[in-house]
Structures are given as structure tokens and as C-alpha cells.
Amino acid sequence: MARWREWAAAAAVGLLAPACAQVAPAPVAAAETGFPAVDRQFAKFQTDEHLAGLVWGVVRDGRIVHLGASGVQDIETRAPVNAETMFRIASMSKAFTALAILKLRDEGKLSLDALAETYVPEMKGWVYPTTDSARIRVRDLLSHVGGLVTDDPWGDRQQPLSEADFTAMLRAGVPFTRAPQTAFEYSNFGYATLGRIITNVSGRRYDQYISAEIMKPLGMNATTYEVRDVDPAHLARGYRWENEAWVLEPTMPNGVFGAMGGVVTNANDYVKWMSFLLDAWPPRDGAEKGPVKRSTVRELAQGLNFPMNIDRVTLEGGAPCRYANTYGMGMNAGLDCELGFTLAHSGGYPGYGSNVLLMPDQGIGLFAFASGTYAGASPVNRRAALELHKAGMLTGRTIAVSAPLAAAYRAAGAMYGAGDIEPGRAMLAMNFLMDRSPDNWKRKLAGLKEKVGACRSDEPIKPTGALTGRFAWTCERGAIEGGLLLSPTNPPGIQALEFSISDK
């Protein structure tokens, strides 16, 4: 029963994701008191970081439900920032590259477990750091475990690198900082290599493939990889705060390294991307609406078992939070102490800083684009999400109670009421009475009833999946908390039932 109790405890605090359960859309919170607090967080961020321009937003149910913009696109023209202002989003571009790789995999054109050199022949001559080093797979590049050295900010300055120069670099080989598949280490070079894989496998340059196969089908018609194609009237110029003044950063054209950080977009377009990603959750029946399958989008959250412990920011007076984070494929997947399951990625670039934070179980996401060199937007974006949480606006989705779970819950109530397992015997899985005898159950139930008396067992169960749920009963002299775990059989039976006296 130890594992069952661990499961029950995790489910109680929302650490277990629902599996294959029908889920209704979350209701829109009536109170929007969190939005002014969100705006205050971004106003402070802009002041503290000396940002010329800033735009931020909250996305829900396929649209922007709150948008903020402040500052100017250009300190000379003083044109104000708005939803059409185009920003470089730097490494937030990696999710597009990762999804393009997964789309090509879906089309049968590549394998994630194939050696990267299968698709980039110039890598075949690379000298690995040890004789027993694993050779780099496509999957390793996606999750930054290829043994390549962290290359911020060097990689940012490679943005204009030509195809020919990159080919020469690949052919010459690169030094390794460690053996592949031994640790996470963020590599822009690795994502540039993924761009080359897209180019070689698709027969189109990576940016053309991503634009045609992902961006345009989503209606992201303003989004581009080439900043020189952007109308200057809509471009946020990139600035560095230096010697108490803004200094214009050089505008770098698109090149090979755009696969790791070259996307230029605006709020109106980016919300379409965020909405598409969020729509992949929860798993459900129904037609596919996007250019890539929902199940494939959910793979962006899958990493390679190299977790990091992160001490994240808190609101004033908030409790410390340290959570586990793993780099998946173009996104960081984490379990936040208050926000639950999150997908996030920052972008840092000469002249720009950005962040996206998705909360798939909430159906909500936040983004921020700033015109300031390496402006760290991740902390403020997470503080903004915490403001929404504090205001009660993160209500989550309502999981429908499945028929098997409802039947098991009725049986649990009948067994407690009778003080005996007999009313629910027909629903018990084969292990149930092997784990605790009928007589022992009688003693267990009698002891509970002696302390708290009769209970309202008709109070709703809160499913954590189609075959799992938690419940709380109000009793004559206290309260009962419990959990149900059904078996992987057809029909499902009750494999574990937990009752405990609530200390709340």
C-alpha cells in the first residue's frame, strides 16, 4: 500500500496529470482582479530593465484576454508599441524548429533515434571526447544533451552565418565539453544543426519549411525569419542600455542560426501559436485542427531525464518554491509548486528579451516581448502568472467523472455506510481482499465511524483521471478524506481504497 499512499498524496496536491479523461473547458473567471497586478509587474520590469518597448499578454481559449503595451518601437520616431509591433523572440524560436523535426518524423522522413550524421553527413568525421562516447542522435540535439558546450552569447552573433560557412564548420568538427547523453547543456549550435536536418530532409531551407508547413497554416502571416522584410513602421528596434543611454544594436540578417533564434513576430500572430500549443491539452476525441497532431505537440514536453532543480521567484510574502524542470524539445517542462505543469522558454538576443509561459492544465499562457538586450523576461512572466493565481483566476479545467469511477465511488460510500465491504464486493479487483481481509476492513471502518460517525458520502468526487479520484466527506464529528484507484482491467475494479480522518 506504500505506493498507493504516495500516489494518493501526489494526486491530492495536483502533481499527477489526468490521463485520457474527458475535460470540459475551464470557466472564465468572473473576477479579473489579477490583470492590474500583472500590469504593475510589467511596469516595474520595464523601469528596472530600462526597456525602450514592451508588450505582454494573457492568452486563453484561443484569444488574448489581456494585452499590455508600453514604450516605443523606435526612440527616434517615438512610435508606440502595440499588438502589431514586430519583435525578435530569439530562442523562443526553438519550439518551431523542434515541432518541424517532429512533423518530419510524423511524415516518416526521419527518426528521432537515428544518428544526426544520417541527415548531416559532415558530422560523420567528428572526433568524440572518449572512445566510449555515444554518437549524437537527433533526439539529443532536441533536448540539449549532445555534449556540445553552452554557447550563449556566441551563438547569437552567428545569426547571419551562411549555409556554406556552416557546412565548413560542420565538416571541420567541433570540440565537445562532455560525452553526449551525460548531461544537459544548452546549445544553439545544436539547434542550428537541427535546422540543417530540416533543410536536408525536407528539400527546403528550414525557415521556408517552417513558414509554409507550420506558421502560414496557423495564420501567422506577419511572422518571418528575415528582419529586413519587416516594415520599419512596425519594427521594434533592438537597444542595449549602456552608460545611462540606449544604444542601437546592429540588425543581423537571417542565416543558418535562425533555426535557434531567428523568429520575428508580433502579439497578434504569436497568440495563434500559443493557442495552437495549448489546444493540444487535454488529450481527447475529435478532429485535428492544426498543421501538426495534438499528440505530437504534447511531445514538446518530453525530455531525456536530466532534471534541474530551480528556485523560482515568488510574490512579496510568498513561500519559497523549488521545482523540477526538464528541457523537453524546444520547451522547458516543469512542475511549479503553485502553477502546476508549465511549459516555458525564454529568448535573449542583442536588443531583445522575451518569454513564454504555458500552463496547459489551466488552458492559459502568458508572453512578453521586450526591446532590451538579454532582458530577462522569465521572472516577471512567472510573477505575472502568480498574480493570476493569487487573484483566483487559475481555476483549472473540470474533469468529467467517468462511469467506472462514478460506480466505484458509489460502492465506496455504500461500504462505509454498511461498515463492511459486502455492498461493494462485486466491484473489487482481484487484489483488493488479498491486500486487506474482509475482517480487517470491518475493523478499519468501525474505527473510523467510532471517531467521526456517519458521513455525507454523496459529496462529489474529484477525478484526477478516468480511473482515479479524491474525495472529502463531511461527517457527524469531523471529516473523512479518501482516494480511489481502479484497476487496468475491463471492466475496471477497485484496486485500492483509502480512508483517513481529515486534520483540516
Side-chain angles (χ1 to χ4, degrees):
M1 294 293 286
R3 290 181 180 175
W4 153 247
R5 291 193 182 96
E6 290 173 5
W7 172 88
V13 295
L15 296 183
L16 293 182
C20 301
Q22 294 185 350
V23 179
V28 176
E32 296 185 346
T33 55
F35 291 153
V38 165
D39 293 343
R40 287 192 293 271
Q41 289 287 350
F42 281 103
K44 183 178 185 301
F45 172 62
Q46 184 172 20
T47 300
D48 291 348
E49 296 295 321
H50 304 285
L51 304 175
L54 177 65
V55 63
W56 63 94
V58 180
V59 174
R60 184 172 192 165
D61 297 332
R63 63 189 181 91
I64 297 178
V65 295
H66 182 69
L67 179 70
S70 181
V72 297
Q73 298 178 163
D74 188 317
I75 62 174
E76 294 183 0
T77 67
R78 310 302 295 175
V81 172
N82 57 48
E84 295 183 355
T85 301
M86 301 288 287
F87 288 82
R88 282 194 183 272
I89 62 171
S91 286
M92 285 162 60
S93 308
K94 288 181 171 67
F96 291 95
T97 298
L99 196 63
I101 289 286
L102 291 173
K103 180 175 172 62
L104 289 166
R105 185 280 314 275
D106 287 351
E107 295 169 354
K109 295 178 180 177
L110 62 78
S111 168
L112 300 188
D113 290 313
L115 297 182
E117 65 193 45
T118 305
Y119 311 109
V120 184
E122 293 85 358
M123 296 175 67
K124 291 182 178 178
W126 283 16
V127 177
Y128 282 76
T130 62
T131 58
D132 64 351
S133 291
R135 300 185 77 81
I136 298 173
R137 304 169 299 178
V138 176
R139 188 183 299 278
D140 300 329
L141 296 175
L142 285 167
S143 294
H144 296 294
V145 296
L148 305 174
V149 70
T150 295
D151 52 4
D152 286 335
W154 173 88
D156 298 328
R157 298 295 181 177
Q158 309 310 308
Q159 187 80 33
L161 194 71
S162 70
E163 295 282 354
D165 287 343
F166 190 49
T167 296
M169 190 178 291
L170 289 166
R171 187 174 291 123
V174 296
F176 284 84
T177 192
R178 68 186 76 251
Q181 301 174 21
T182 59
F184 167 85
E185 187 147 358
Y186 192 80
S187 173
N188 292 307
F189 190 100
Y191 263 75
T193 306
L194 288 169
R196 175 58 65 89
I197 291 174
I198 294 169
T199 297
N200 288 350
V201 169
S202 71
R204 287 177 278 179
R205 202 172 119 126
Y206 75 89
D207 52 349
Q208 296 172 354
Y209 178 85
I210 293 172
S211 178
E213 298 296 329
I214 296 176
M215 293 174 174
K216 291 296 189 273
L218 292 176
M220 300 177 70
N221 296 317
T223 302
T224 180
Y225 280 85
E226 183 50 78
V227 69
R228 293 177 299 184
D229 292 341
V230 176
D231 182 348
H234 296 296
L235 178 65
R237 306 295 295 274
Y239 296 98
R240 179 176 71 252
W241 183 255
E242 189 173 83
N243 299 325
E244 301 303 311
W246 282 307
V247 178
L248 184 65
E249 292 275 20
T251 299
M252 289 183 281
N254 187 44
V256 172
F257 270 66
M260 69 83 188
V263 172
V264 187
T265 191
N266 61 28
N268 285 335
D269 261 19
Y270 197 72
V271 65
K272 299 172 184 177
W273 169 245
M274 291 176 64
S275 298
F276 165 63
L277 297 181
L278 287 168
D279 186 61
W281 283 268
R284 61 193 183 276
D285 296 330
E288 300 281 354
K289 299 178 182 178
V292 184
K293 295 186 300 182
R294 292 190 295 267
S295 60
T296 299
V297 173
R298 293 193 294 270
E299 287 185 69
L300 295 177
Q302 295 182 15
L304 283 175
N305 198 34
F306 293 96
M308 299 161 279
N309 288 322
I310 294 179
D311 292 309
R312 68 136 165 87
V313 297
T314 61
L315 297 180
E316 185 175 353
C321 172
R322 197 176 201 209
Y323 72 94
N325 180 85
T326 300
Y327 199 95
M329 302 179 189
M331 297 292 277
N332 286 285
L335 277 176
D336 188 284
C337 316
E338 295 178 82
L339 304 178
F341 169 43
T342 62
L343 286 176
H345 210 293
S346 290
Y349 196 82
Y352 302 93
S354 55
N355 182 260
V356 60
L357 172 62
L358 304 179
M359 294 171 282
D361 292 340
Q362 300 285 342
I364 294 177
L366 297 90
F367 69 92
F369 305 153
S371 49
T373 295
Y374 299 121
S378 175
V380 67
N381 223 11
R382 201 157 289 254
R383 284 193 182 98
L386 291 170
E387 294 285 11
L388 298 182
H389 176 65
K390 181 180 178 180
M393 297 178 66
L394 302 186
T395 56
R397 291 185 171 103
T398 301
I399 305 175
V401 181
S402 69
L405 186 61
Y409 184 50
R410 289 192 296 271
M415 287 188 285
Y416 183 86
D420 195 307
I421 57 90
E422 286 305 319
R425 183 181 282 272
M427 289 219 52
L428 303 180
M430 57 82 64
N431 68 289
F432 192 88
L433 295 180
M434 298 172 69
D435 297 333
R436 174 176 274 167
S437 70
D439 286 342
N440 190 279
W441 268 108
K442 283 184 180 181
R443 287 193 292 273
K444 166 77 172 178
L445 295 172
L448 290 169
K449 296 181 79 171
E450 182 179 354
K451 292 178 180 178
V452 299
C455 299
R456 286 284 309 275
S457 62
D458 59 344
E459 296 179 30
I461 188 171
K462 295 180 179 179
T464 53
L467 302 177
T468 57
R470 300 289 302 169
F471 56 86
W473 294 343
T474 301
C475 307
E476 293 175 320
R477 298 182 297 278
I480 289 285
E481 293 182 350
L484 270 170
L485 178 64
L486 305 191
S487 62
T489 55
N490 197 7
I494 301 173
Q495 65 165 309
L497 173 62
E498 185 78 9
F499 292 111
S500 62
I501 296 175
S502 174
D503 58 3
K504 293 180 182 178

